[in-house]
Amino acid sequence: MIKQKGNIMDLEAEVVYNGLCCYCGTCGAFCKEYITYENEIPVTKKKCHEIYGACYDFCPRTSFAPFEVERAVFGATRTDNLLGYYKGDILTARATDEAIIAEAQDGGVVSALLVSMLEQGEIDAAVVSKTSETWEPEPFVATKREDILAAAGSKYTQCPSVLGVGDAFEQGYKRVALVGLPCHIQGMRKVQLSTGFDVGAGRVKIQIGLFCSETFEMSMLKNKLEELGTSIEEVEKFNIKRGSFIVHTKAGDEIKTPIKKMSECVREACNYCYDFAAEFADVSVGSIGSEPGWSTVITRSDAGENLVKRAEEEGVIETKKLSEEQIEAVRNLASYKKRRNLKNINDKTGTVRILNMLVEPEMLEQFLSV
Ligand SMILES: Cc1cc2nc3c(=O)[nH]c(=O)nc-3n(C[C@H](O)[C@H](O)[C@H](O)COP(=O)(O)OP(=O)(O)OC[C@H]3O[C@@H](n4cnc5c(N)ncnc54)[C@H](O)[C@@H]3O)c2cc1C
């Protein structure tokens, strides 16, 4: 990927103040001396010299070249426009370890793969997302089974997970796994493919992506919980299933609200994301398409394929092929997100320049179809 010219001021103007910052942590992960985060946006701690610019170069929201990344990472471009490039069958799977299932969001596949890689010595650390009692997610460098179990489950507010990769490198880990949403994976791929800055990102050996429709603003989520008659402190687990946002409370209640009613809580930057299925991960995992207690698994790279195959052979996970009908459910949700957010992107975009040609984005397809 070509080095992009820009510095922290450009990042602020083009991304932060343009409503595009997704708080993935990529800009500050390898530049902690200069960048910190306040109210979930990057700020400079001290004046950074303008020759720097890793923050701008690494940010998945300054620019992202999907096909260039696919060629570089997978050696080919996508054949499936909604789900991205993948290898072999799309699977439904679950962990065989009951202790993992008990803590996990769905089939526990993500946690089972991480535990297995740590125990086999394939990785020495995994960056996951941990929360306190009040559900504020924080990146966490896990090195053992108990750490992975303690961080299992979905947090529907944003976690700057890539900061955890910076932490893992600082702690000396050399074979690191990252679990992240599509934005984290896009950021990490940009770091790995940067020609301008080398932070040793080859030490991230495997990236497990989570399907993602959106994340919520914590303050808005807290308000919504109050409206629903509960509070963040009372939440045991969050879930999104069949068009409903579901809150399981510590008292054992289940509170449901239509997911459409959560739209006011969605982070602004999520409205400009066109990646549902974590299209640039080695392995992507989500719930849509699978039965309750199972996860949908898409393998994309050789590393991802080997990992899932080995986990199955060793009995770490059990798998079945996902039916065409179930795959269609995954595609439908991906299509819904892409259509909605590409319209938002279109509305925000000015004229597009291709060499000397200037075209309004909504006219581009019509103009180029000859
Ligand atoms: C914000 C969000 C939105 C999602 N939206 C959808 C959706 O629309 N459709 C769908 O099918 N699936 C969605 N998922 C994925 C789904 O909720 C499960 O994470 C997935 O099925 C994996 O389940 P599992 O039991 O294998 O994971 P587990 O074994 O429970 O492991 C989950 C891993 O993800 C990490 N993690 C949790 N939350 C975050 C976070 N916010 N950022 C980074 N890492 C995190 C945990 O630390 C843990 O390592 C979403 C997940 C999240 C976090």
Tab-separated table of all heavy atoms in Angstrom, residues 191-249:
chain	number	residue	atom	x	y	z
A	191	VAL	N	-1.742	-1.241	8.681
A	191	VAL	CA	-0.439	-1.185	9.360
A	191	VAL	C	0.496	-2.222	8.742
A	191	VAL	O	1.649	-1.940	8.429
A	191	VAL	CB	-0.600	-1.455	10.881
A	191	VAL	CG1	0.758	-1.391	11.575
A	191	VAL	CG2	-1.564	-0.470	11.521
A	192	GLN	N	-0.032	-3.427	8.537
A	192	GLN	CA	0.817	-4.506	7.993
A	192	GLN	C	1.293	-4.206	6.579
A	192	GLN	O	2.374	-4.616	6.195
A	192	GLN	CB	0.041	-5.838	8.006
A	192	GLN	CG	-0.140	-6.393	9.411
A	192	GLN	CD	-0.873	-7.720	9.442
A	192	GLN	OE1	-1.840	-7.918	8.709
A	192	GLN	NE2	-0.444	-8.629	10.306
A	193	LEU	N	0.474	-3.507	5.799
A	193	LEU	CA	0.814	-3.296	4.386
A	193	LEU	C	1.436	-1.925	4.114
A	193	LEU	O	1.728	-1.599	2.971
A	193	LEU	CB	-0.450	-3.473	3.526
A	193	LEU	CG	-1.061	-4.880	3.565
A	193	LEU	CD1	-2.405	-4.909	2.855
A	193	LEU	CD2	-0.117	-5.900	2.953
A	194	SER	N	1.642	-1.144	5.164
A	194	SER	CA	2.198	0.196	4.958
A	194	SER	C	3.615	0.105	4.391
A	194	SER	O	4.429	-0.694	4.856
A	194	SER	CB	2.239	0.943	6.296
A	194	SER	OG	2.982	2.131	6.153
A	195	THR	N	3.904	0.921	3.399
A	195	THR	CA	5.274	0.977	2.885
A	195	THR	C	6.033	2.145	3.526
A	195	THR	O	7.233	2.291	3.334
A	195	THR	CB	5.286	1.177	1.351
A	195	THR	OG1	4.477	2.320	1.061
A	195	THR	CG2	4.753	-0.034	0.623
A	196	GLY	N	5.321	2.958	4.275
A	196	GLY	CA	5.959	4.143	4.861
A	196	GLY	C	6.494	3.910	6.265
A	196	GLY	O	7.476	4.520	6.664
A	197	PHE	N	5.852	3.031	7.016
A	197	PHE	CA	6.204	2.873	8.427
A	197	PHE	C	6.234	1.389	8.791
A	197	PHE	O	5.293	0.669	8.490
A	197	PHE	CB	5.173	3.594	9.313
A	197	PHE	CG	5.072	5.063	9.014
A	197	PHE	CD1	4.140	5.523	8.088
A	197	PHE	CD2	5.909	5.976	9.628
A	197	PHE	CE1	4.049	6.872	7.791
A	197	PHE	CE2	5.818	7.332	9.338
A	197	PHE	CZ	4.887	7.781	8.407
A	198	ASP	N	7.321	0.972	9.428
A	198	ASP	CA	7.447	-0.439	9.803
A	198	ASP	C	7.453	-0.543	11.336
A	198	ASP	O	8.410	-0.143	11.986
A	198	ASP	CB	8.753	-1.006	9.218
A	198	ASP	CG	8.913	-2.487	9.532
A	198	ASP	OD1	8.018	-3.060	10.195
A	198	ASP	OD2	9.927	-3.069	9.117
A	199	VAL	N	6.364	-1.071	11.878
A	199	VAL	CA	6.303	-1.231	13.340
A	199	VAL	C	6.420	-2.712	13.722
A	199	VAL	O	6.109	-3.099	14.837
A	199	VAL	CB	4.998	-0.620	13.917
A	199	VAL	CG1	4.949	0.880	13.679
A	199	VAL	CG2	3.752	-1.297	13.340
A	200	GLY	N	6.821	-3.526	12.768
A	200	GLY	CA	6.954	-4.959	13.040
A	200	GLY	C	5.607	-5.655	13.103
A	200	GLY	O	5.390	-6.591	13.880
A	201	ALA	N	4.678	-5.197	12.247
A	201	ALA	CA	3.298	-5.703	12.327
A	201	ALA	C	3.152	-7.140	11.847
A	201	ALA	O	2.092	-7.746	12.020
A	201	ALA	CB	2.361	-4.786	11.548
A	202	GLY	N	4.239	-7.708	11.292
A	202	GLY	CA	4.231	-9.123	10.909
A	202	GLY	C	4.096	-10.023	12.132
A	202	GLY	O	3.806	-11.220	12.014
A	203	ARG	N	4.302	-9.439	13.320
A	203	ARG	CA	4.140	-10.227	14.553
A	203	ARG	C	2.660	-10.563	14.808
A	203	ARG	O	2.371	-11.417	15.629
A	203	ARG	CB	4.717	-9.454	15.746
A	203	ARG	CG	6.231	-9.490	15.801
A	203	ARG	CD	6.767	-8.578	16.878
A	203	ARG	NE	6.704	-7.169	16.479
A	203	ARG	CZ	7.053	-6.151	17.257
A	203	ARG	NH1	7.459	-6.375	18.487
A	203	ARG	NH2	6.987	-4.909	16.816
A	204	VAL	N	1.753	-9.877	14.120
A	204	VAL	CA	0.337	-10.278	14.233
A	204	VAL	C	0.132	-11.412	13.242
A	204	VAL	O	0.129	-11.221	12.026
A	204	VAL	CB	-0.615	-9.096	13.941
A	204	VAL	CG1	-2.067	-9.550	13.935
A	204	VAL	CG2	-0.426	-8.003	14.984
A	205	LYS	N	0.021	-12.621	13.771
A	205	LYS	CA	0.004	-13.824	12.926
A	205	LYS	C	-1.390	-14.196	12.467
A	205	LYS	O	-1.554	-14.876	11.460
A	205	LYS	CB	0.611	-15.016	13.692
A	205	LYS	CG	2.039	-14.798	14.147
A	205	LYS	CD	2.981	-14.678	12.971
A	205	LYS	CE	4.411	-14.402	13.402
A	205	LYS	NZ	5.273	-13.947	12.317
A	206	ILE	N	-2.406	-13.822	13.245
A	206	ILE	CA	-3.759	-14.215	12.858
A	206	ILE	C	-4.755	-13.154	13.326
A	206	ILE	O	-4.616	-12.606	14.407
A	206	ILE	CB	-4.121	-15.624	13.425
A	206	ILE	CG1	-5.331	-16.226	12.718
A	206	ILE	CG2	-4.353	-15.613	14.913
A	206	ILE	CD1	-4.983	-17.318	11.763
A	207	GLN	N	-5.712	-12.849	12.451
A	207	GLN	CA	-6.735	-11.860	12.804
A	207	GLN	C	-8.102	-12.526	12.688
A	207	GLN	O	-8.496	-12.989	11.617
A	207	GLN	CB	-6.643	-10.659	11.874
A	207	GLN	CG	-5.306	-9.940	12.002
A	207	GLN	CD	-5.257	-8.637	11.227
A	207	GLN	OE1	-6.166	-7.829	11.296
A	207	GLN	NE2	-4.188	-8.438	10.494
A	208	ILE	N	-8.811	-12.585	13.817
A	208	ILE	CA	-10.159	-13.154	13.831
A	208	ILE	C	-11.141	-11.991	13.859
A	208	ILE	O	-11.141	-11.177	14.787
A	208	ILE	CB	-10.374	-14.081	15.047
A	208	ILE	CG1	-9.308	-15.197	15.048
A	208	ILE	CG2	-11.793	-14.655	15.035
A	208	ILE	CD1	-9.453	-16.217	16.161
A	209	GLY	N	-11.958	-11.886	12.810
A	209	GLY	CA	-12.902	-10.771	12.695
A	209	GLY	C	-14.289	-11.186	13.142
A	209	GLY	O	-14.688	-12.352	12.991
A	210	LEU	N	-15.034	-10.237	13.720
A	210	LEU	CA	-16.427	-10.494	14.116
A	210	LEU	C	-17.342	-9.814	13.108
A	210	LEU	O	-17.063	-8.682	12.682
A	210	LEU	CB	-16.701	-9.902	15.505
A	210	LEU	CG	-15.756	-10.326	16.637
A	210	LEU	CD1	-16.081	-9.536	17.910
A	210	LEU	CD2	-15.855	-11.821	16.898
A	211	PHE	N	-18.415	-10.472	12.708
A	211	PHE	CA	-19.417	-9.798	11.887
A	211	PHE	C	-19.883	-8.571	12.678
A	211	PHE	O	-19.958	-8.617	13.910
A	211	PHE	CB	-20.654	-10.674	11.656
A	211	PHE	CG	-20.441	-11.918	10.844
A	211	PHE	CD1	-21.511	-12.778	10.611
A	211	PHE	CD2	-19.209	-12.243	10.307
A	211	PHE	CE1	-21.362	-13.933	9.869
A	211	PHE	CE2	-19.040	-13.400	9.560
A	211	PHE	CZ	-20.129	-14.252	9.342
A	212	CYS	N	-20.249	-7.517	11.965
A	212	CYS	CA	-20.683	-6.327	12.715
A	212	CYS	C	-21.665	-5.480	11.913
A	212	CYS	O	-21.366	-5.085	10.788
A	212	CYS	CB	-19.459	-5.494	13.096
A	212	CYS	SG	-19.864	-4.054	14.087
A	213	SER	N	-22.815	-5.198	12.497
A	213	SER	CA	-23.766	-4.270	11.880
A	213	SER	C	-23.476	-2.853	12.328
A	213	SER	O	-23.652	-1.903	11.576
A	213	SER	CB	-25.204	-4.617	12.285
A	213	SER	OG	-25.562	-5.864	11.735
A	214	GLU	N	-23.041	-2.689	13.600
A	214	GLU	CA	-22.783	-1.358	14.160
A	214	GLU	C	-22.329	-1.508	15.595
A	214	GLU	O	-22.478	-2.583	16.179
A	214	GLU	CB	-24.070	-0.515	14.149
A	214	GLU	CG	-25.141	-1.031	15.099
A	214	GLU	CD	-26.434	-1.441	14.446
A	214	GLU	OE1	-26.797	-0.847	13.434
A	214	GLU	OE2	-27.061	-2.385	14.953
A	215	THR	N	-21.798	-0.406	16.168
A	215	THR	CA	-21.587	-0.361	17.625
A	215	THR	C	-22.378	0.828	18.168
A	215	THR	O	-22.765	1.718	17.415
A	215	THR	CB	-20.096	-0.212	18.018
A	215	THR	OG1	-19.590	1.005	17.460
A	215	THR	CG2	-19.266	-1.373	17.541
A	216	PHE	N	-22.580	0.811	19.482
A	216	PHE	CA	-23.381	1.865	20.113
A	216	PHE	C	-22.502	2.821	20.918
A	216	PHE	O	-21.473	2.424	21.449
A	216	PHE	CB	-24.423	1.251	21.054
A	216	PHE	CG	-25.359	0.302	20.364
A	216	PHE	CD1	-25.563	-0.979	20.856
A	216	PHE	CD2	-26.037	0.682	19.209
A	216	PHE	CE1	-26.425	-1.870	20.215
A	216	PHE	CE2	-26.896	-0.202	18.564
A	216	PHE	CZ	-27.088	-1.479	19.065
A	217	GLU	N	-22.958	4.089	21.010
A	217	GLU	CA	-22.331	5.086	21.903
A	217	GLU	C	-22.697	4.717	23.327
A	217	GLU	O	-23.890	4.517	23.616
A	217	GLU	CB	-22.943	6.473	21.642
A	217	GLU	CG	-22.541	7.131	20.377
A	217	GLU	CD	-21.202	7.816	20.489
A	217	GLU	OE1	-20.597	7.796	21.579
A	217	GLU	OE2	-20.771	8.358	19.463
A	218	MET	N	-21.724	4.676	24.227
A	218	MET	CA	-22.009	4.265	25.602
A	218	MET	C	-23.052	5.170	26.271
A	218	MET	O	-23.983	4.680	26.925
A	218	MET	CB	-20.707	4.244	26.405
A	218	MET	CG	-20.846	3.787	27.818
A	218	MET	SD	-21.746	2.224	27.988
A	218	MET	CE	-20.406	1.062	28.200
A	219	SER	N	-22.928	6.505	26.100
A	219	SER	CA	-23.870	7.401	26.811
A	219	SER	C	-25.306	7.166	26.319
A	219	SER	O	-26.254	7.136	27.108
A	219	SER	CB	-23.474	8.860	26.620
A	219	SER	OG	-23.447	9.139	25.247
A	220	MET	N	-25.438	6.949	24.999
A	220	MET	CA	-26.774	6.721	24.434
A	220	MET	C	-27.321	5.361	24.874
A	220	MET	O	-28.514	5.212	25.146
A	220	MET	CB	-26.719	6.761	22.901
A	220	MET	CG	-26.162	8.034	22.329
A	220	MET	SD	-27.195	9.428	22.732
A	220	MET	CE	-28.464	9.251	21.525
A	221	LEU	N	-26.416	4.384	24.956
A	221	LEU	CA	-26.835	3.046	25.389
A	221	LEU	C	-27.351	3.096	26.839
A	221	LEU	O	-28.384	2.506	27.172
A	221	LEU	CB	-25.663	2.065	25.264
A	221	LEU	CG	-25.921	0.631	25.728
A	221	LEU	CD1	-27.018	-0.037	24.906
A	221	LEU	CD2	-24.640	-0.201	25.642
A	222	LYS	N	-26.640	3.867	27.668
A	222	LYS	CA	-27.069	3.994	29.077
A	222	LYS	C	-28.461	4.615	29.148
A	222	LYS	O	-29.310	4.169	29.915
A	222	LYS	CB	-26.057	4.844	29.859
A	222	LYS	CG	-24.799	4.074	30.210
A	222	LYS	CD	-23.863	4.951	31.027
A	222	LYS	CE	-22.621	4.185	31.420
A	222	LYS	NZ	-21.562	5.042	31.929
A	223	ASN	N	-28.688	5.664	28.333
A	223	ASN	CA	-30.022	6.304	28.326
A	223	ASN	C	-31.091	5.314	27.910
A	223	ASN	O	-32.165	5.240	28.482
A	223	ASN	CB	-30.059	7.480	27.330
A	223	ASN	CG	-29.194	8.620	27.794
A	223	ASN	OD1	-28.803	8.647	28.956
A	223	ASN	ND2	-28.887	9.549	26.895
A	224	LYS	N	-30.763	4.540	26.870
A	224	LYS	CA	-31.732	3.568	26.340
A	224	LYS	C	-32.062	2.519	27.411
A	224	LYS	O	-33.219	2.141	27.586
A	224	LYS	CB	-31.142	2.920	25.079
A	224	LYS	CG	-32.007	1.922	24.383
A	224	LYS	CD	-33.351	2.442	23.948
A	224	LYS	CE	-33.290	3.203	22.641
A	224	LYS	NZ	-34.629	3.656	22.200
A	225	LEU	N	-31.029	2.084	28.153
A	225	LEU	CA	-31.278	1.077	29.192
A	225	LEU	C	-32.220	1.633	30.259
A	225	LEU	O	-33.107	0.939	30.749
A	225	LEU	CB	-29.950	0.621	29.809
A	225	LEU	CG	-29.065	-0.219	28.896
A	225	LEU	CD1	-27.690	-0.430	29.514
A	225	LEU	CD2	-29.702	-1.581	28.589
A	226	GLU	N	-32.017	2.920	30.580
A	226	GLU	CA	-32.928	3.542	31.565
A	226	GLU	C	-34.355	3.568	31.047
A	226	GLU	O	-35.300	3.249	31.758
A	226	GLU	CB	-32.454	4.950	31.897
A	226	GLU	CG	-31.474	4.900	33.045
A	226	GLU	CD	-30.933	6.252	33.440
A	226	GLU	OE1	-31.658	7.253	33.268
A	226	GLU	OE2	-29.780	6.281	33.901
A	227	GLU	N	-34.471	3.933	29.756
A	227	GLU	CA	-35.806	3.929	29.123
A	227	GLU	C	-36.447	2.544	29.223
A	227	GLU	O	-37.648	2.406	29.368
A	227	GLU	CB	-35.616	4.197	27.625
A	227	GLU	CG	-36.262	5.439	27.083
A	227	GLU	CD	-35.916	5.551	25.604
A	227	GLU	OE1	-36.336	4.709	24.804
A	227	GLU	OE2	-35.166	6.501	25.269
A	228	LEU	N	-35.587	1.518	29.135
A	228	LEU	CA	-36.093	0.136	29.169
A	228	LEU	C	-36.277	-0.376	30.599
A	228	LEU	O	-36.587	-1.541	30.821
A	228	LEU	CB	-35.127	-0.797	28.411
A	228	LEU	CG	-35.010	-0.563	26.900
A	228	LEU	CD1	-33.879	-1.389	26.304
A	228	LEU	CD2	-36.321	-0.912	26.198
A	229	GLY	N	-36.007	0.509	31.569
A	229	GLY	CA	-36.265	0.161	32.959
A	229	GLY	C	-35.142	-0.608	33.638
A	229	GLY	O	-35.362	-1.292	34.633
A	230	THR	N	-33.918	-0.483	33.093
A	230	THR	CA	-32.781	-1.138	33.750
A	230	THR	C	-31.569	-0.206	33.705
A	230	THR	O	-31.721	0.983	33.395
A	230	THR	CB	-32.505	-2.528	33.101
A	230	THR	OG1	-31.455	-3.169	33.818
A	230	THR	CG2	-32.158	-2.442	31.628
A	231	SER	N	-30.392	-0.701	34.048
A	231	SER	CA	-29.195	0.148	33.998
A	231	SER	C	-28.006	-0.724	33.611
A	231	SER	O	-28.062	-1.957	33.713
A	231	SER	CB	-28.941	0.786	35.361
A	231	SER	OG	-28.496	-0.206	36.248
A	232	ILE	N	-26.938	-0.063	33.203
A	232	ILE	CA	-25.761	-0.788	32.707
A	232	ILE	C	-25.196	-1.726	33.797
A	232	ILE	O	-24.734	-2.821	33.500
A	232	ILE	CB	-24.681	0.200	32.177
A	232	ILE	CG1	-23.647	-0.498	31.297
A	232	ILE	CG2	-23.986	0.979	33.271
A	232	ILE	CD1	-23.986	-0.571	29.872
A	233	GLU	N	-25.277	-1.288	35.050
A	233	GLU	CA	-24.741	-2.100	36.159
A	233	GLU	C	-25.521	-3.411	36.325
A	233	GLU	O	-25.017	-4.377	36.878
A	233	GLU	CB	-24.804	-1.343	37.490
A	233	GLU	CG	-23.840	-0.165	37.607
A	233	GLU	CD	-24.327	1.092	36.905
A	233	GLU	OE1	-25.531	1.137	36.518
A	233	GLU	OE2	-23.520	2.017	36.723
A	234	GLU	N	-26.770	-3.417	35.841
A	234	GLU	CA	-27.617	-4.606	36.042
A	234	GLU	C	-27.518	-5.613	34.894
A	234	GLU	O	-28.134	-6.672	34.935
A	234	GLU	CB	-29.083	-4.172	36.184
A	234	GLU	CG	-29.355	-3.400	37.473
A	234	GLU	CD	-30.745	-2.793	37.491
A	234	GLU	OE1	-31.703	-3.550	37.271
A	234	GLU	OE2	-30.852	-1.575	37.685
A	235	VAL	N	-26.723	-5.256	33.856
A	235	VAL	CA	-26.697	-6.119	32.667
A	235	VAL	C	-25.752	-7.311	32.853
A	235	VAL	O	-24.595	-7.158	33.246
A	235	VAL	CB	-26.277	-5.308	31.409
A	235	VAL	CG1	-26.186	-6.219	30.196
A	235	VAL	CG2	-27.263	-4.174	31.154
A	236	GLU	N	-26.251	-8.490	32.525
A	236	GLU	CA	-25.443	-9.714	32.558
A	236	GLU	C	-24.876	-9.994	31.166
A	236	GLU	O	-23.720	-10.349	30.995
A	236	GLU	CB	-26.344	-10.881	33.002
A	236	GLU	CG	-25.678	-12.253	33.019
A	236	GLU	CD	-24.649	-12.374	34.118
A	236	GLU	OE1	-24.766	-11.674	35.133
A	236	GLU	OE2	-23.705	-13.183	33.943
A	237	LYS	N	-25.722	-9.804	30.145
A	237	LYS	CA	-25.303	-10.087	28.765
A	237	LYS	C	-26.184	-9.283	27.801
A	237	LYS	O	-27.373	-9.100	28.060
A	237	LYS	CB	-25.474	-11.591	28.495
A	237	LYS	CG	-24.996	-12.046	27.122
A	237	LYS	CD	-25.106	-13.570	26.957
A	237	LYS	CE	-24.700	-14.002	25.555
A	237	LYS	NZ	-24.622	-15.435	25.364
A	238	PHE	N	-25.564	-8.831	26.706
A	238	PHE	CA	-26.322	-8.212	25.612
A	238	PHE	C	-26.381	-9.211	24.466
A	238	PHE	O	-25.456	-10.004	24.271
A	238	PHE	CB	-25.607	-6.961	25.086
A	238	PHE	CG	-25.612	-5.784	26.027
A	238	PHE	CD1	-24.451	-5.391	26.674
A	238	PHE	CD2	-26.769	-5.050	26.231
A	238	PHE	CE1	-24.436	-4.288	27.523
A	238	PHE	CE2	-26.767	-3.943	27.079
A	238	PHE	CZ	-25.592	-3.566	27.723
A	239	ASN	N	-27.421	-9.124	23.664
A	239	ASN	CA	-27.478	-9.969	22.469
A	239	ASN	C	-28.311	-9.269	21.399
A	239	ASN	O	-29.178	-8.448	21.709
A	239	ASN	CB	-28.099	-11.328	22.808
A	239	ASN	CG	-27.493	-12.433	21.979
A	239	ASN	OD1	-26.917	-12.183	20.914
A	239	ASN	ND2	-27.606	-13.667	22.438
A	240	ILE	N	-28.045	-9.612	20.156
A	240	ILE	CA	-28.894	-9.136	19.062
A	240	ILE	C	-29.334	-10.372	18.296
A	240	ILE	O	-28.482	-11.112	17.775
A	240	ILE	CB	-28.136	-8.151	18.146
A	240	ILE	CG1	-27.728	-6.906	18.937
A	240	ILE	CG2	-29.008	-7.766	16.946
A	240	ILE	CD1	-26.927	-5.877	18.182
A	241	LYS	N	-30.629	-10.639	18.286
A	241	LYS	CA	-31.143	-11.846	17.611
A	241	LYS	C	-32.466	-11.532	16.936
A	241	LYS	O	-33.328	-10.880	17.537
A	241	LYS	CB	-31.405	-12.975	18.630
A	241	LYS	CG	-30.161	-13.700	19.114
A	241	LYS	CD	-29.830	-14.913	18.255
A	241	LYS	CE	-28.520	-15.575	18.581
A	241	LYS	NZ	-27.289	-14.856	18.568
A	242	ARG	N	-32.610	-12.013	15.718
A	242	ARG	CA	-33.861	-11.907	14.961
A	242	ARG	C	-34.519	-10.531	15.085
A	242	ARG	O	-35.688	-10.406	15.467
A	242	ARG	CB	-34.841	-12.994	15.403
A	242	ARG	CG	-34.308	-14.375	15.099
A	242	ARG	CD	-35.362	-15.453	15.143
A	242	ARG	NE	-34.818	-16.661	14.545
A	242	ARG	CZ	-34.110	-17.571	15.242
A	242	ARG	NH1	-33.879	-17.395	16.516
A	242	ARG	NH2	-33.645	-18.636	14.629
A	243	GLY	N	-33.757	-9.476	14.778
A	243	GLY	CA	-34.317	-8.127	14.757
A	243	GLY	C	-34.544	-7.507	16.122
A	243	GLY	O	-35.132	-6.421	16.208
A	244	SER	N	-34.096	-8.159	17.199
A	244	SER	CA	-34.279	-7.583	18.540
A	244	SER	C	-32.939	-7.358	19.238
A	244	SER	O	-32.016	-8.161	19.096
A	244	SER	CB	-35.093	-8.523	19.428
A	244	SER	OG	-36.406	-8.617	18.984
A	245	PHE	N	-32.893	-6.283	20.001
A	245	PHE	CA	-31.769	-6.058	20.913
A	245	PHE	C	-32.224	-6.611	22.261
A	245	PHE	O	-33.289	-6.232	22.761
A	245	PHE	CB	-31.467	-4.561	21.004
A	245	PHE	CG	-30.334	-4.223	21.926
A	245	PHE	CD1	-29.039	-4.608	21.629
A	245	PHE	CD2	-30.559	-3.509	23.095
A	245	PHE	CE1	-27.988	-4.308	22.481
A	245	PHE	CE2	-29.507	-3.194	23.948
A	245	PHE	CZ	-28.221	-3.586	23.639
A	246	ILE	N	-31.441	-7.521	22.823
A	246	ILE	CA	-31.898	-8.237	24.023
A	246	ILE	C	-30.933	-7.983	25.186
A	246	ILE	O	-29.713	-8.121	25.033
A	246	ILE	CB	-31.987	-9.763	23.754
A	246	ILE	CG1	-32.861	-10.011	22.506
A	246	ILE	CG2	-32.541	-10.508	24.957
A	246	ILE	CD1	-32.717	-11.394	21.911
A	247	VAL	N	-31.523	-7.594	26.314
A	247	VAL	CA	-30.719	-7.372	27.511
A	247	VAL	C	-31.065	-8.460	28.524
A	247	VAL	O	-32.228	-8.588	28.918
A	247	VAL	CB	-31.044	-5.984	28.128
A	247	VAL	CG1	-30.177	-5.723	29.351
A	247	VAL	CG2	-30.884	-4.875	27.089
A	248	HIS	N	-30.077	-9.244	28.922
A	248	HIS	CA	-30.279	-10.236	29.987
A	248	HIS	C	-29.749	-9.594	31.265
A	248	HIS	O	-28.586	-9.192	31.312
A	248	HIS	CB	-29.484	-11.515	29.694
A	248	HIS	CG	-29.896	-12.186	28.422
A	248	HIS	ND1	-30.897	-13.133	28.373
A	248	HIS	CD2	-29.465	-12.023	27.145
A	248	HIS	CE1	-31.051	-13.548	27.118
A	248	HIS	NE2	-30.190	-12.880	26.350
A	249	THR	N	-30.589	-9.484	32.275
A	249	THR	CA	-30.143	-8.812	33.506
A	249	THR	C	-29.621	-9.826	34.518
A	249	THR	O	-29.918	-11.024	34.435
A	249	THR	CB	-31.292	-8.001	34.162
A	249	THR	OG1	-32.237	-8.928	34.676
A	249	THR	CG2	-31.950	-7.061	33.176
